[in-house]
Every structure is written in C-alpha cells, then in structure tokens.
Amino acid sequence: MPLSNNVIGCINFIAVLLSLPVIGAGIWLAMGTVNSCVKILQWPIIILGILILLVGLAGFIGGLWRITWLLGVYLIAMLVLIVLLGVLIGFTYMVTIKGSGHPEPSRAYLEYSLQDFSGYLRQRVEKADKWDRIRTCLSTTNICPELNQRFSMAMDFFNAHLSPIQSGCCKPPTKCGFTFVNPTYWINTINGSSDMDCLQWSNVQNNLCYSCDSCKAGLLANLKIDWLKADISLLLALNGLTIVYIIGCCPFRNSKTEGCINFIALLLSIPVISAGIWLTVGTVKSCVTLLQWPIIILGILILLVGLAGLIGGFWRIAWLLVVYLIAMLVLIVLLSVLIGFIYMVTMKGSGHPEPSRAYLEYSLQDFSGYLRQKVQKSYKWDRISTCLSATNICPELNQTFTIAQDFFNAPLSPIQSGCCKPPTKCGFQFISPTNWIGAINMSADMDCLQWSNVENTLCYWCDSCKAGLLANLKVDWLKADIVLLSALIGLITVYIIGCCAYRNTKTEDIFRKYKQGYSYT
C-alpha cells in the first residue's frame, strides 16, 4: 500500500530539520573570535544549508498535497545537494588532514610551522593582501591582551596550555631565545636569531608577532580544529539526508514501503558490525578484547531485527512489525547507552610533553577508573603484555632509528612511547630504541626499576605501557563511537518513519474494514 500524504510529508520534513545542523555549523564558524577574521568556509556551508532547507520544504509541501512534479524536483535537487555536501565534507577533511603542533623544551604549549599545513590553507594566508586584512582583524581582538591578565610569572606562562593562535601570534617563537617580561613583552638577546619570525617580533601591542609565519600557522591550526568539528556535524547531517532521500524514493518505486524502510535499518547494522570488527583488527587492538564483542553482538541483533521488520513490511505480518518496533526501540536505547558509555570512559587521559622530545609520555592515573581496572589486575595484564611482546611494535623501532636525536624527534605512537622505552624521567642513556643504560643512582620510580633491555620484557610491565595502551584504545574507541553515533541517528530516523507508516497503515486498514462493513449493510 502506498504511503499517505502525511507520511511522505513527515519524511521530507526531516530533510528540513537536517538543514539546521548544516546552517548551524556555518553560523558557528562565523561567530568565533578567530573564525570571524577568516571568511573561507562559513558562507558555502550556510548557503548549502539554506538550499537544503528550501528543497526539503518543497518536498514537504509536495508530499502533503501530492504535487507530483514538486516531489520530482525535490528528488533531483536533493540528490545534487547531497553530492555537494559529500564533496564539501571530503574537501574539508583533506585540507585539514595535515598540520599539527610540536613541543619545545620546558614548554606546555605547542609551536606551529606554516609548512606543516596543506597548500590550500597556506595560500589563504600567504598572500600579503589577504593576510593584511586578517592580521588587522586579529590585532583588534582580546586574544593576546587577556594573557597579560592571566599570567605574570614566566613559569606559569610556560606551563600554560595556550591556544594555537595565542602560541603563534602573542609571543615570539621559543627558538628565538627571547627573555620573558610578560606574555606580550619580551627582551631580545644581543645576538638575535636571523629567523624572519624573530626579526618581525615587536613589543608594540598592535604588532607583536601578527606578521610572523608562526601566527599564520597558529591561525590555520585553530581553523583546522574548528573545521573538523564542523565536519563531524556535516557528516551526521549527510547520513541523515541520505537515509531520508532513500526512504523518499521508496513511494516512487513500490507500494511496500514499510519493507523498504525496514531494509534501511538492516543496512545500518553493517557500520555497527564493521566498527566491532575493526576494533579486533590491528596489532594492538587484537591484544585487548573489551568492546569488540558487545558492538558486534549489538550489530547482529540490529541486523536480525531489521530483517524481521523487512519481512513483516513486505508480507504485511502485523505481529512481526510490532515485534520489530518493540525490539528496535530496545536496541536503539542500548546503542545510545553504549555510545554514551564509550564517550564517558574516554573523556579523560592525554599525553604530556617532555623536554627535547617530540613524542608524548602517558600517565596511568590520567585515565578513567573503568579503563584502569581493565589493565591493573595482574592476570588480565599478564595476557595483554604477553600478546604485546609477541608483536613487532618495538623491534621495528630498531630498524627505523639508530641515532638518539632522530628517535627523540620521532612522533611515536602511545604504545611505543609507553612500552618500548623507559620513561624520560628515568634519565637513562640511549643506545638504541629498545636498549638503554640506567644511571648508577636509578630513580625509585617503579617504571624505572621495571625497565629491562631484554626484548621480551622492556617496559611491558610498566604503568607507562598500560597508559600507552589505554591512549591507543581511547583514539580507536572514539573513532568507533563516531560510526556508532551516525548509525544511531540513522536508526532513530528510520524508526520514527516506520512508526508513522505503521500507524498510518493501521488507520487505513480500520477505515477500509469500516467501508466494507458499511457496503454490506
């Protein structure tokens, strides 16, 4: 039976609602202190969001009043907009994939290099006419002056986690060796560096380092963070629009739309199962079985319930559709709880820099209690450490690095930083990445005492190794959480539409039976 006007209108109205996060992402990018000085991505996103709103509204009107030509326009225009939104998301990701800060000795904040960023972003700030307008805008903000109100002591400032724009624009680069007076006032040394950024630094508050490449790099680092956040919002909207579009096409193809709708729920089990399988694939992930099977089992249940809904929809098995609606609601709740749980246990825990090291060190106490419990029990960690020692994670470092400075400048993974070498605080002397000479008066720190140059031992029993493993898990779990969140939004959308279609079908069945009974009388 074809969907009623109300259900088709309801489906297309969701497309109207999905324009809001797109428009909201564009407005959010335009409102920030830094973003307001750089108008690159805001208006394309806002314009695209408004077009999605208008096209979705056309589909809503066409669905309610069965205006066939308007529904045809909606389907063609929405397909074009979905493709454009997909291209924009891919473009944003590609231009922001490069560029990150690097630590400096005795500094908590990071320094940024313009050459680390993509060519497209560099072009936005390297041209003099464009940067002149941007730097004028930045110099009128409160980004740098507020540092003088927060920090008066040099050590407090050096230990501060500055934003990229503050690190790049409000102070001279650390390599210049200037003497701190206050955050925006530094004394130049007699033999100053010939680096252009050092020469361009000025204690004049409207100049500072706004003309430096480090400022341009700091601005791009700020943009990168904000653009990636906006990209996630756009990706979620794209997933929703794609699902709504597929459902919107169903009435034009066959009358058994409940089956078509429920088939999408079946398809949405695939990213959930894939996320679980992905967490089992990999050298480190294969050693820890915490989250994989719950996700895989949940995905299989969604697959089975979606299959039940598909059969019930196509063959009009009312009781099976009721089972589908109840079971899918339970699974949606369970998936929501799982997503929230993953986010909560991965909120805490990050690396901290060490002097003259590019890699980060990790502390077990920084992570959530739940994650710590998974590695602190001896019988659990014994199995994990045995698995890790059998991998090629640490031996491959010996093939890559032979010189100490190259190793110290290497961006090691958390597991390599925590398990393959002793903690930097131990003060051991480098021989090779997995061979270190300890000082005579070794630190009493347990990790330093547990370090061994034996290849199967190294620091696999250290707390730093446990912390490195948790840091690796945190990154992978958060990636999986984004996939699960996208699937959840799709399932909720399909579920709501399925409820509308089922209620409408029941109403039409009752009305048809009433008409049949009336005709007999």
Side-chain angles (χ1 to χ4, degrees):
M1 178 181 295
L3 258 66
S4 72
N5 298 8
N6 290 339
V7 176
I8 295 176
C10 176
I11 292 170
N12 295 338
F13 184 68
I14 295 175
V16 176
L17 296 179
L18 287 169
S19 70
L20 299 181
V22 180
I23 297 172
I27 294 173
W28 176 72
L29 286 177
M31 290 180 62
T33 304
V34 176
N35 289 318
S36 61
C37 294
V38 189
K39 297 178 175 62
I40 301 177
L41 200 65
Q42 297 94 319
W43 282 110
I45 293 177
I46 292 174
I47 292 171
L48 190 57
I50 292 173
L51 290 175
I52 293 171
L53 174 66
L54 295 175
V55 171
L57 191 59
F60 173 63
I61 295 170
L64 282 183
W65 281 278
R66 284 289 182 181
I67 307 174
T68 307
W69 70 267
L70 195 56
L71 284 173
V73 170
Y74 159 78
L75 290 175
I76 296 172
M78 187 57 75
L79 178 60
V80 173
L81 292 176
I82 286 174
V83 171
L84 289 176
L85 183 58
V87 170
L88 181 61
I89 291 170
F91 168 77
T92 304
Y93 179 75
M94 290 302 295
V95 299
T96 56
I97 197 170
K98 296 175 62 178
S100 58
H102 54 86
E104 289 285 344
S106 304
R107 301 290 190 272
Y109 48 77
L110 300 176
E111 301 278 350
Y112 298 86
S113 172
L114 187 58
Q115 299 306 312
D116 291 340
F117 293 88
S118 66
Y120 172 82
L121 287 180
R122 291 203 307 270
Q123 289 175 4
R124 303 303 103 186
V125 297
E126 283 182 327
K127 294 182 179 179
D129 57 330
K130 293 183 178 180
W131 183 250
D132 188 53
R133 178 185 58 79
I134 295 171
R135 69 177 296 280
T136 301
C137 176
L138 291 175
S139 65
T140 59
T141 66
N142 199 41
I143 294 171
C144 296
E146 70 176 9
L147 295 177
N148 293 326
Q149 301 171 10
R150 291 171 52 198
F151 305 105
S152 57
M153 304 292 293
M155 192 53 63
D156 292 339
F157 181 73
F158 297 153
N159 291 329
H161 295 281
L162 305 182
S163 68
I165 197 77
Q166 290 173 328
S167 174
C169 303
C170 304
K171 62 169 191 59
T174 303
K175 62 186 175 183
C176 298
F178 292 176
T179 303
F180 175 93
V181 176
N182 67 41
T184 61
Y185 195 98
W186 299 69
I187 297 175
N188 194 351
T189 54
I190 297 176
N191 296 319
S193 170
S194 59
D195 186 275
M196 186 58 67
D197 279 5
C198 303
L199 298 176
Q200 288 183 327
W201 167 261
S202 170
N203 286 316
V204 177
Q205 295 302 294
N206 288 335
N207 293 337
L208 299 180
C209 218
Y210 290 123
S211 296
C212 301
D213 281 352
S214 65
C215 184
K216 298 173 183 177
L219 174 74
L220 296 184
N222 255 82
L223 287 182
K224 174 183 175 178
I225 294 170
D226 291 340
W227 283 20
L228 286 176
K229 290 178 181 177
D231 215 31
I232 293 173
S233 177
L234 298 180
L235 179 61
L236 296 177
L238 176 64
N239 290 338
L241 285 170
T242 303
I243 293 168
V244 169
Y245 183 81
I246 293 172
I247 296 171
C249 290
C250 289
F252 288 85
R253 297 183 62 182
N254 64 69
S255 61
K256 304 224 174 151
T257 311
E258 285 96 334
C260 183
I261 292 170
N262 299 338
F263 180 67
I264 296 174
L266 187 151
L267 292 178
L268 285 168
S269 68
I270 296 175
V272 179
I273 296 173
S274 300
I277 294 173
W278 176 73
L279 286 176
T280 65
V281 177
T283 306
V284 177
K285 291 177 283 191
S286 61
C287 293
V288 189
T289 52
L290 291 177
L291 201 65
Q292 296 94 319
W293 282 109
I295 294 177
I296 292 174
I297 291 171
L298 190 58
I300 293 173
L301 290 175
I302 293 171
L303 174 66
L304 295 176
V305 171
L307 185 61
L310 173 67
I311 296 171
F314 271 108
W315 280 275
R316 292 292 181 179
I317 307 174
W319 69 267
L320 197 55
L321 284 173
V322 172
V323 170
Y324 160 78
L325 290 175
I326 295 173
M328 187 57 73
L329 178 60
V330 173
L331 292 177
I332 286 173
V333 172
L334 289 176
L335 184 57
S336 302
V337 171
L338 181 62
I339 291 170
F341 168 76
I342 294 172
Y343 180 73
M344 290 300 295
V345 300
T346 55
M347 280 182 66
K348 299 174 64 178
S350 57
H352 54 86
E354 289 286 345
S356 304
R357 301 291 189 271
Y359 49 76
L360 300 177
E361 303 272 350
Y362 298 86
S363 173
L364 187 58
Q365 299 306 312
D366 291 341
F367 294 87
S368 66
Y370 171 82
L371 288 179
R372 292 203 307 272
Q373 289 176 3
K374 303 298 110 176
V375 296
Q376 283 181 322
K377 293 181 179 179
S378 297
Y379 70 93
K380 290 184 178 180
W381 184 251
D382 185 53
R383 179 185 59 80
I384 296 172
S385 63
T386 301
C387 177
L388 290 176
S389 64
T391 66
N392 199 40
I393 295 171
C394 296
E396 69 180 6
L397 294 177
N398 292 325
Q399 302 170 8
T400 308
F401 305 104
T402 56
I403 300 174
Q405 198 57 48
D406 292 342
F407 181 73
F408 297 155
N409 292 331
L412 304 182
S413 69
I415 199 76
Q416 290 174 326
S417 175
C419 304
C420 304
K421 62 170 191 59
T424 304
K425 61 186 176 183
C426 299
F428 291 176
Q429 183 180 348
F430 175 93
I431 302 298
S432 74
T434 59
N435 195 322
W436 300 69
I437 298 177
I440 297 176
N441 296 319
M442 288 194 301
S443 168
D445 185 275
M446 188 57 68
D447 279 6
C448 303
L449 298 176
Q450 288 183 327
W451 167 260
S452 170
N453 286 319
V454 177
E455 290 294 320
N456 289 334
T457 306
L458 300 179
C459 218
Y460 290 123
W461 278 95
C462 300
D463 280 352
S464 65
C465 185
K466 299 173 183 178
L469 175 74
L470 295 184
N472 257 79
L473 286 182
K474 174 182 175 180
V475 174
D476 292 337
W477 284 17
L478 285 175
K479 290 177 181 177
D481 213 31
I482 293 174
V483 175
L484 297 181
L485 181 59
S486 301
L488 176 64
I489 292 173
L491 284 172
I492 292 173
T493 304
V494 170
Y495 185 80
I496 293 172
I497 295 170
C499 287
C500 292
Y502 179 76
R503 190 175 71 173
N504 179 71
T505 301
K506 294 296 288 183
T507 303
E508 290 183 350
D509 288 344
I510 293 171
F511 182 70
R512 187 177 62 252
K513 290 177 181 178
Y514 172 78
K515 286 181 67 178
Q516 289 174 351
Y518 181 79
S519 63
Y520 291 144
T521 59

